[in-house]
RNA sequence: GCCCGGAUGGCGGAAUUGGUAGACGCGCUGGACUCAAAAUCCAGUAAUGGCAACAUUGUGAGAGUUCGAGUCUCUCUCUGGGCACCA
């Protein structure tokens, strides 16, 4: 037998498979369908590196596995070929984008073919193909007709380097996701899709998807649902009202000023007659506009704003007259673009109010329910309410604090006590300190605020619901009165350091203690104060009550923004709309689709906010399909995400000229059963595609309302140096080189063996040797010939391997599946004797991973069939059962012996054998076993 | 700051979900073959002590629950990712 020659074998079988068209897929109602999809690549100029095919290999393994298990599998591939990079590549290399895309697709395809992925290439699609984008445009027109598309003149995100507007999703930390250039706000007319109409469904339907939880969580955060209230504030001496959205209507009594976004329309209206400092306002508005997103949101940036002089608002809760500001910390496009500011309970408002000396009014106080062992409230006791004080007293010289250690029980506190009638809280605090410790000369440093606590008062054996006011004093000297004998009996005075306090004092008092050192504001829920009739109730409950009282209404808000859909670039689908002076904006008639992207002299971006298409007069000038008069075409193009939002459907029916997708075919194949791709698409492509698909569902074009039933993300392959593979670092590994040297099978196997599928692992050419050696050893084993019977030891491992691989492929645990095949080969080499029949089983389970060598050896065994079309082997349970098992014997939790026993051993027998072990006896050391635990099939644990 | 993950030998990683930690692979060490090297094969490989049997320690750190914890609970450190003035 010749040496394992991967080049010869792999080329031979690739040719044969292609000639026989083995990957062709047709509808077959007799079989269960399985649609498995890769995120299609962007055919860039640089070609594939070793990381790209990882996901493709995985889906290829599953696809082959499913085919061998009698599924009718749809496994297609295509190209996401519109968009900026192609255009930029074309500009740089002075070729037309169409030509560049064609070349790049050819190059990509050539690379992919070497890996022998079982795609049905007859279903290949490209988003730049007019027969494809006809339907992208068609779907857009349906949205337009349903009123889901509107034109906006609001400032949008503009990338000055890419010279195009961008959607919210295209930003990364306030910069362009592609080029890293800080985003500016620019006012240009934009087509926007009301994706927010779908926010609730996009959120709710996540629950029914078999996606990884962290991806769902990412989408939930991106959609950003928050519940709150809309409340209106009257403006004094004006007919106008300010409407705000707030998640904290309970804090309304604490709203001491209001803020409008600088771009808020009310500002312009108020300028007309009320605002006295118009000039100052306008300077600030200009500043806001020219700032980049990054400048506006820079971390640690001090808040800025300008007061609207001459205008005030009325707080609807208490009638208070409060000032109005404009400030750029309020965003125009979230909520109503205006807020009620509650500096006592919102960090941002607090910063602002401190800077501009605005009243800070506390309306919610912390409610602490003690959860520590000794102090958590007892279920069986009622709460006794009490107004009380806490006094924290610092030593006159040292860094220690006064505490009381109770003598009867294990309990230490600061000085606490009730407030008597006619006493102020501070008076009560001073009195308690004097009574309990005798210290007299207190200097008040800080009032720490209110705090409510539910706890079990251990010394007094009652449940307390205490309403504390807390004070921080410093002692001026050690002057001290005599303490009464009763007090002395109760507790002793202990001076504690910070560290000691943190260890001994109960939770709620610790919160007070921390307030000494930190300027913290309370932003949580708690007990209402300073809020008239709502005082004393739970702030969570007060939300609805206060909203109702002031005539507001509870509502829901989303962070998700509408989808800015216009790009001022050449290489995209033309937006099929026509501007007519008489008729307004009119849709291009559907029978004129596709609206072809015209050729153009210069497709460079203009940078003015106008698309390069605007320069082609003969294309732009058209007639209005409604009135027949002169009209102009829309010249913006669609974003790259348009085509990828529905491409999964087109594979099902790639050549249909009459309809987006044939309903019967769609019903047969849809939805995608398994979708594999990069996690970076979690908040863009996967949001857009879900939206687009849901829209198609709503208009009856498809029959299932989610596109991707199950989603799995791929972990990226890092370069050998641990960095990302990039031309810039010069650390890119090309799959062509690896396949040439080691073979496609080795390459495929290694990528699946590297680690867990969704983990990012560094490439290692050194480790690649492992899978290669495995294949060489298999080849060699084959050369040795076969026996009439298989060694029972091999048989056992073989059937376990079949079981494990069957399960592992389903669970996407390829690394352990391959490890198991290695274990099998190790056993084969050790025990040698194996029948042809059993070897066939091995080849069948190997074939999804390494199709070429499996097919070659399959043929060498005399088969003239394609292994892909064979049946997946089943395992025989009789080989899974062990007659003998190894029991672990522990003494006090430590392994002292292992004993080999019959699998059916009884508990008593096992215990007897375990106790008989010499080493076990040594560790029992004559003591009497307290307890012997027996776990069937696992262990005997002896406790002495 | 907020929301998700992750941390196991020299390296990539296993661990039936609470039951012998380190499967499998790489690397490394020793041996066989060879004039020699590569390749291949055999043996070893968590650390420490011991000729060995074995003992002690050991899954980022610290506490806890348990006969028993990589796995469960709490606190913390480091780290990857996402979001970030979202009211």
């Amino acid at each position: 037998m010749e040496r394992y020659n991967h080049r010869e074998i792999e080329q031979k079988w690739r040719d044969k498979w292609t000639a026989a068209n083995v990957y062709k897929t047709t509808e077959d109602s007799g079989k269960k369908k399985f649609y498995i999809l890769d995120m299609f690549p962007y055919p860039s100029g640089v070609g594939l590196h070793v990381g790209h095919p990882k996901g493709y290999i995985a889906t290829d393994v599953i696809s082959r596995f499913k085919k061998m298990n009698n599924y009718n599998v749809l496994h297609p591939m295509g190209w996401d070929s519109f968009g900026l990079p192609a255009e930029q590549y074309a500009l740089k290399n002075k070729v037309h984008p169409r030509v560049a895309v064609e070349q790049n697709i050819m190059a990509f395809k050539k690379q992919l073919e070497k890996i022998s992925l079982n795609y049905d290439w007859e279903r290949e699609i490209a988003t730049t193909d007019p027969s494809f984008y006809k339907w992208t445009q068609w779907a857009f027109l349906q949205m337009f007709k349903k009123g889901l598309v509107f034109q906006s003149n609001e400032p949008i995100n503009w990338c000055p380097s890419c010279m195009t507007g961008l959607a919210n999703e295209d930003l990364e930390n306030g910069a362009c996701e592609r080029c890293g250039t800080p985003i500016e706000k620019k006012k240009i007319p934009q087509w926007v899709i009301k994706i927010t109409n779908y926010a609730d469904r996009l959120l709710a339907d996540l629950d029914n998807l078999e996606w990884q939880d962290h991806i769902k969580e990412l989408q939930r955060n991106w959609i950003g649902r928050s519940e709150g209230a809309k409340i209106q504030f009257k403006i004094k001496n004006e007919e106008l009202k300010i409407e705000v959205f707030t998640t904290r209507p309970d804090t309304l009594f604490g709203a001491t000023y209001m803020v409008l976004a600088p771009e808020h329309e009310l500002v312009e209206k108020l300028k007309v007659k009320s605002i006295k400092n118009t000039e100052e306002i306008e300077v600030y508005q200009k500043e806001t506009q020219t700032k980049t997103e990054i400048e506006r949101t820079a971390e640690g940036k001090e808040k800025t704003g300008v007061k609207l002089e001459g205008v005030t608002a009325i707080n609807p809760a208490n009638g208070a007259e409060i000032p109005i500001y404009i400030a750029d910390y309020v965003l125009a496009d979230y909520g109503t673009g205006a807020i009620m500011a509650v500096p006592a309970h919102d960090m941002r408002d607090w910063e602002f109010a401190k800077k501009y000396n605005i009243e800070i009014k506390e309306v919610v106080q912390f409610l602490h329910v003690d959860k520590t062992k000794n102090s958590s409230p007892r279920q069986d006791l009622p709460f006794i309410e009490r107004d009380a004080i806490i006094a924290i007293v610092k030593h006159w010289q040292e860094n220690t604090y006064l505490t009381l250690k109770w003598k009867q029980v294990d309990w230490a506190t600061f000085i606490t006590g009730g407030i008597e009638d006619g006493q102020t809280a501070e008076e009560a605090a001073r009195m308690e300190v004097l009574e309990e410790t005798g210290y007299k000369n207190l200097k008040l440093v800080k009032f720490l605020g209110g705090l409510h606590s539910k706890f079990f008062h251990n010394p007094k054996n009652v449940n307390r619901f205490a309403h504390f006011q807390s004070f921080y004093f410093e002692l001026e000297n050690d002057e001290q009165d005599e303490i009464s004998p009763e007090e002395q009996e109760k507790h002793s005075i202990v001076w504690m350091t910070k560290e000691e306090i943190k260890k001994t004092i109960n939770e709620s008092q610790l919160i007070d203690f921390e307030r000494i050192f930190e300027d913290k504001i309370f932003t949580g829920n708690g007990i209402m104060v300073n809020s008239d009739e709502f005082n004393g109730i739970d702030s969570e409950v007060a939300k609805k009550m206060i909203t109702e009282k002031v005539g507001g209404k509870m509502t829901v808000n989303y962070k998700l923004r509408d989808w800015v859909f216009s790009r001022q670039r050449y290489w995209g689908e033309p937006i099929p709309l026509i501007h007519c002076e008489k008729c307004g904006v009119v849709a291009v008639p559907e029978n004129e689709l596709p609206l072809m992207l015209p050729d153009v002299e210069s497709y460079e971006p203009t940078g003015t906010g106008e698309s390069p298409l605007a320069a082609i007069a003969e294309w732009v000038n058209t007639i209005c399909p409604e009135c027949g008069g002169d009209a102009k075409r829309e010249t913006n193009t669609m974003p790259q995400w348009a085509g990828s939002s529905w491409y999964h459907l087109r594979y099902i029916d790639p050549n249909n000229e009459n309809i987006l997708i044939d309903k019967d075919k769609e019903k047969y194949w849809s939805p995608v059963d398994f979708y594999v791709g990069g996690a970076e698409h979690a908040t863009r492509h996967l949001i857009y595609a879900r939206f687009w698909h849901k829209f198609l569902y709503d208009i009856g074009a498809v029959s299932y309302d989610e596109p991707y039933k199950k989603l799995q993300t791929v972990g990226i392959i890092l370069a050998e140096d641990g960095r990302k593979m990039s031309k810039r670092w010069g650390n890119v590994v090309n799959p062509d080189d690896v396949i040439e040297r080691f073979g496609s099978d080795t390459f495929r196997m290694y990528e699946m063996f590297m680690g867990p599928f969704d983990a990012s692992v560094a490439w290692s050419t050194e480790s690649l040797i492992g899978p290669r050696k495995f294949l060489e050893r298999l080849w060699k084993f084959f050369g040795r010939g076969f026996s009439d019977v298989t060694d029972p030891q091999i048989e056992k491992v073989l059937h376990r391997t079949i079981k494990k691989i069957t399960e592992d492929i389903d669970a996407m645990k390829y690394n352990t599946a391959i490890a198991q095949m290695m274990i099998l080969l190790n056993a084969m080499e050790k025990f040698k004797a194996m029948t042809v029949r059993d070897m066939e089983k091995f080849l069948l389970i190997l074939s999804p991973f390494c199709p070429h060598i499996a097919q070659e050896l399959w043929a060498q065994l005399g088969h003239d069939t394609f292994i892909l079309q064979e049946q997946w082997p089943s395992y025989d349970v009789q080989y899974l059962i062990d007659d003998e098992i190894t029991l672990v014997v522990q003494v006090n939790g430590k392994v002292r012996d292992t004993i080999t026993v019959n699998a059916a051993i009884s508990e008593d027998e096992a215990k007897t054998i375990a106790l008989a072990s010499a080493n076990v006896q040594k560790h029992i050391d004559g003591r009497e076993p307290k307890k012997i635990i027996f776990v069937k099939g696992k262990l005997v644990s002896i406790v002495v």
Side-chain angles (χ1 to χ4, degrees), chain A residues 233 246 248-258 315 329 339-350 353 359-364 521-523:
Chain A
F233 286 61
T246 176
R248 295 296 304 271
D250 51 311
T251 63
L252 184 57
F253 284 85
T256 53
Y257 68 100
M258 306 195 74
N315 183 329
Y329 82 91
I339 61 158
M340 63 178 221
V342 185
H345 303 293
D346 181 280
M347 209 51 212
R348 296 150 302 181
D349 297 344
W350 184 75
E359 188 193 356
I360 298 172
K361 187 178 160 196
E362 186 186 42
V363 290
V364 182
I521 59 164
F522 177 58
T523 56

Side-chain angles (χ1 to χ4, degrees), chain A residues 179-216:
Chain A
C179 66
T181 310
I183 289 303
E184 293 168 4
K185 288 281 175 184
K186 190 162 181 163
K187 265 193 183 176
I188 33 173
Q190 295 286 331
W191 288 105
V192 179
I193 298 180
K194 284 190 204 167
I195 189 171
T196 50
N197 281 15
Y198 284 74
D200 48 352
R201 282 165 67 191
L202 288 171
L203 184 69
D205 293 347
L206 279 173
D207 295 343
N208 308 320
L209 297 176
E210 293 168 49
W211 292 15
Q212 291 145 289
D213 284 336
H214 72 274
I215 298 289
K216 289 193 196 180

